[in-house]
Amino acid sequence: MATLKPIILRDQAKKSGDCHIFIRVTAHRTVVNIKTDIFVLPDNFRDSKVIGGKNGDRNAQIKNIRISEILTKYEREILDNPTKTDQLDALALKNFLVAGPERYITDFFKFTDARLEQLKKSDKKSTIAFLSNTLERVKEFHKRPTLNFSEITPDFLEQFCAYYLRKDYKLNTVAIYCRYIRTMFNLAIDEYNINIASPVILNYPFRKFKITTEPTQNRNLSIDTIRAIRDFKTISKREEITRDIFMLQMFLAGINIKDLFYLKPAAVIDDRLQFNRFKTGRFYNIKIEPEAQEIINKYKGEKYLFWFADYCMEERSGNSIKHSHKTEFQYANQVAFNKMLNVQLKTVEDRLKLKLASPLTTYWARHSFATVMREIGISKDDISLCLGHINPEQNLRTSGIYIKEDFLRMDVANRKLIDFIIKDQPLN
C-alpha cells in the first residue's frame, strides 16, 4: 500500500535558506517526491510538521493546515480509486495524484463513454452503433457500475464469451464485441502509457485471450435464382418495392441499403452515382446503367433520391417532432426500411421455394454480386474495386493509377454483370 509523508530536502534550500516541503510517495518499493508550494526553514520543520512558537515559523499553523489539506486530498484520491492506484509504482502514482483522477480514466465504462462522445462529433454512425452495443453487453454481463481495465482479464473475457454464447448469440457477433473491447484497451494504452517507466494501464489480456470466429455462412445466389427474383410476380406494393430494390443493389455494385436509403438527388452527377459509404467513408463513383435508371425513376423522391426516404427521421428538426410520412411506404430510417425488405424477401424465398442455408436478406445481393462477377470472368482485383476493398484514391496516392481509369474498370465489370443477368429480358 502507498504511503505519503511530508519532507524537506535540506540540500535543495534556496539562498534565503527556505526549503520546499515535498510529499514523499512510497509505493511498491519505489519512492518519488511531489513538490508543494509551501516553504519552511529547515530548523522549523520536525516530524513532518512546521514548528511554530516564539522562535519558530510565525505561519506554522496555516502551513500545517495546508499540508494536511494536500495529504487529505491525495489520500482520498487513493482510497476512492483502489482499482486505479493499487498496482501503480511511486512515479505512476505521482502522475495520477498531480494530474487528478479525471485525467486517467481507467474505468472501462467511463473511458468508452468518453470515446463515444468523441465519435459523435465525427458522425461515425456505424462505429458508434457497434461500440454502444458492445458497451451495453459488457454492462449487462458485469452487473456492476464500474469496471476497471485491470479487471478485464483473459478469464473475464472467456466468461463474457460463454455468457453470450449460452444466450444463443452468434460466435462472430461475440467476436465483434471482443474486438471493440480490444480497441478500447489499445486506445487507453496509446493515450496513457506514453511513459513506459510509469504505465497507467498495466494489463493487456489479449496477449493470452484469442478472439475466436467461424466462417461466414455462404450467402451466394445462383444466376438462375437472381433471374427468378428479377421475374418474380408480385402481389403487393411491398413485394414490388423489395424485388426492385434487390435488383437495384445488383445493378449498383452491391450497394449497401443504408447508403442507398440516404442518397440525395445531388449524389447523381453526370449520370453517375457519387457518394461516400457510411461504413468506411470510402468514395464511390458508379455509372448508372439504364436498368438501374429505370428503377431510380420509378421511385424518384424529392428530398432524397428515393421517395420512401423523403420523410425519414433525418429530416426532423428535433426529437420532439415525430416521424411523419405521406404514404405507408415511407420509412423512419434505413433500419425500418431494411426490416421491411427482409420480411418481404422471406416471402419471395418461400414462394419461389428456394432452398437456402439461411433466410434471404438484402445482404445476399452484395455477396451474390461478387460471386456472379467471378463466374463471368471478372478479375478478383476488379471485383474488389467494385466492392470498395480497393480504393482508387489510395491507388492514386501510392501507384499513380488515375482514378478515372479505375472507375472505368468498374463500369466495364458492372455492365458485363448486368448483361449476364438481363440477357435481353426486360425487368417485369
Side-chain angles (χ1 to χ4, degrees):
M1 182 176 176
T3 60
L4 305 175
K5 180 182 178 180
I7 66 161
I8 61 171
L9 300 176
R10 293 175 179 269
D11 60 346
Q12 293 184 15
K14 298 171 63 178
K15 289 182 180 181
S16 62
D18 287 334
C19 293
H20 268 289
I21 294 178
F22 291 83
I23 304 299
R24 173 155 288 177
V25 180
T26 305
H28 295 285
R29 300 181 181 180
T30 59
V31 179
V32 72
N33 299 320
I34 302 175
K35 183 186 292 186
T36 73
D37 57 359
I38 308 167
F39 292 91
V40 66
L41 289 169
D43 290 344
N44 293 334
F45 189 80
R46 291 196 302 270
D47 299 326
S48 300
K49 290 185 178 181
V50 179
I51 305 302
K54 183 178 180 181
N55 299 318
D57 192 304
R58 53 199 268 175
N59 295 315
Q61 184 177 6
I62 295 174
K63 291 180 179 180
N64 284 329
I65 290 173
R66 177 63 180 142
I67 292 170
S68 178
E69 288 175 345
I70 294 172
L71 282 173
T72 300
K73 177 177 180 290
Y74 288 166
E75 288 170 349
R76 179 167 293 175
E77 288 178 356
I78 292 172
L79 290 172
D80 288 348
N81 300 278
T83 55
K84 294 182 182 180
T85 59
D86 283 353
Q87 302 301 317
L88 300 181
D89 65 11
L91 181 57
L93 186 57
K94 172 187 174 179
N95 292 338
F96 175 84
L97 295 174
V98 172
E102 66 279 356
R103 176 179 175 184
Y104 297 118
I105 306 175
T106 55
D107 179 84
F108 176 84
F109 297 150
K110 289 183 179 179
F111 185 86
T112 305
D113 279 330
R115 177 60 179 162
L116 284 167
E117 288 303 313
Q118 293 174 358
L119 288 170
K120 288 175 184 177
K121 296 177 183 178
S122 63
D123 198 35
K124 294 183 178 180
K125 296 181 180 179
S126 178
T127 303
I128 291 171
F130 282 121
L131 185 55
S132 296
N133 199 16
T134 299
L135 182 59
E136 290 304 313
R137 298 289 76 74
V138 177
K139 285 182 176 180
E140 178 187 340
F141 166 73
H142 189 54
K143 296 182 174 65
R144 293 203 297 273
T146 62
L147 173 63
N148 196 274
F149 278 102
S150 62
E151 298 178 79
I152 304 177
T153 63
D155 184 60
F156 177 97
L157 293 170
E158 292 287 356
Q159 293 183 36
F160 172 80
C161 293
Y163 176 82
Y164 283 105
L165 291 174
R166 286 195 301 269
K167 292 172 73 72
D168 293 329
Y169 280 66
K170 301 291 185 181
L171 181 61
N172 287 351
T173 301
V174 176
I176 291 173
Y177 299 151
C178 290
R179 289 193 190 102
Y180 275 94
I181 295 172
R182 182 177 63 190
T183 297
M184 291 303 100
F185 257 98
N186 292 338
L187 288 173
I189 288 171
D190 287 346
E191 184 171 347
Y192 298 149
N193 289 11
I194 297 175
N195 186 347
I196 299 175
S198 58
V200 176
I201 305 299
L202 300 172
N203 66 308
Y204 190 69
F206 294 95
R207 290 190 183 92
K208 292 184 178 180
F209 175 81
K210 301 302 178 184
I211 299 174
T212 304
T213 60
E214 60 187 357
T216 303
Q217 200 167 39
N218 186 296
R219 291 191 179 99
N220 300 321
L221 299 173
S222 68
I223 186 60
D224 289 338
T225 298
I226 293 170
R227 289 174 181 151
I229 294 173
R230 177 200 66 190
D231 299 331
F232 181 73
K233 304 296 183 182
T234 63
I235 58 176
S236 71
K237 185 64 175 179
R238 286 191 173 86
E239 287 183 358
E240 182 181 355
I241 293 172
T242 299
R243 177 201 63 190
D244 292 348
I245 295 302
F246 189 90
M247 294 309 302
L248 185 60
Q249 285 185 274
M250 297 296 300
F251 298 155
L252 293 176
I255 190 171
N256 178 273
I257 289 297
K258 184 174 183 178
D259 295 323
L260 186 71
F261 186 87
Y262 288 115
L263 286 172
K264 292 194 174 182
V268 179
I269 303 173
D270 296 331
D271 297 321
R272 304 186 70 87
L273 201 55
Q274 301 185 30
F275 64 97
N276 292 89
R277 278 208 68 191
F278 274 94
K279 183 175 181 180
T280 63
R282 187 261 192 188
F283 178 68
Y284 265 75
N285 188 334
I286 305 171
K287 182 180 180 183
I288 303 174
E289 298 290 349
E291 294 79 5
Q293 188 64 60
E294 180 182 348
I295 298 175
I296 292 172
N297 292 342
K298 185 176 181 179
Y299 298 103
K300 185 178 180 180
E302 296 176 1
K303 298 178 181 179
Y304 288 81
L305 188 61
F306 300 98
W307 57 254
F308 43 71
D310 271 346
Y311 293 88
C312 66
M313 291 172 64
E314 295 295 316
E315 292 299 316
R316 300 186 306 169
S317 60
N319 291 333
S320 61
I321 302 175
K322 294 183 178 180
H323 163 62
S324 61
H325 49 70
K326 289 185 177 180
T327 82
E328 62 178 309
F329 304 110
Q330 288 172 314
Y331 296 86
N333 51 39
Q334 91 287 347
V335 176
F337 183 60
N338 197 50
K339 182 177 180 180
M340 182 278 291
L341 295 176
N342 288 336
V343 168
Q344 298 304 315
L345 283 171
K346 184 64 174 69
T347 299
V348 172
E349 177 188 351
D350 291 342
R351 286 182 32 207
L352 290 177
K353 298 180 180 180
L354 303 178
K355 295 181 180 180
L356 305 177
S358 61
L360 180 63
T361 66
T362 56
Y363 203 59
W364 284 75
R366 188 167 174 83
H367 276 253
S368 300
F369 170 86
T371 300
V372 175
M373 272 202 160
R374 192 64 183 144
E375 287 179 6
I376 60 177
I378 303 297
S379 72
K380 289 183 179 180
D381 284 346
D382 285 353
I383 294 172
S384 294
L385 187 64
C386 292
L387 292 175
H389 300 159
I390 295 177
N391 191 338
E393 294 179 353
Q394 183 67 25
N395 289 345
L396 180 64
R397 289 193 294 268
T398 59
S399 61
I401 299 174
Y402 288 99
I403 293 176
K404 288 184 179 179
E405 291 182 1
D406 277 347
F407 286 136
L408 179 61
R409 288 164 51 201
M410 292 174 61
D411 294 347
V412 172
N414 199 39
R415 183 66 253 175
K416 189 173 181 180
L417 175 131
I418 293 174
D419 287 340
F420 184 60
I421 292 174
I422 297 302
K423 278 196 170 178
D424 298 326
Q425 298 181 37
L427 186 70
N428 288 345

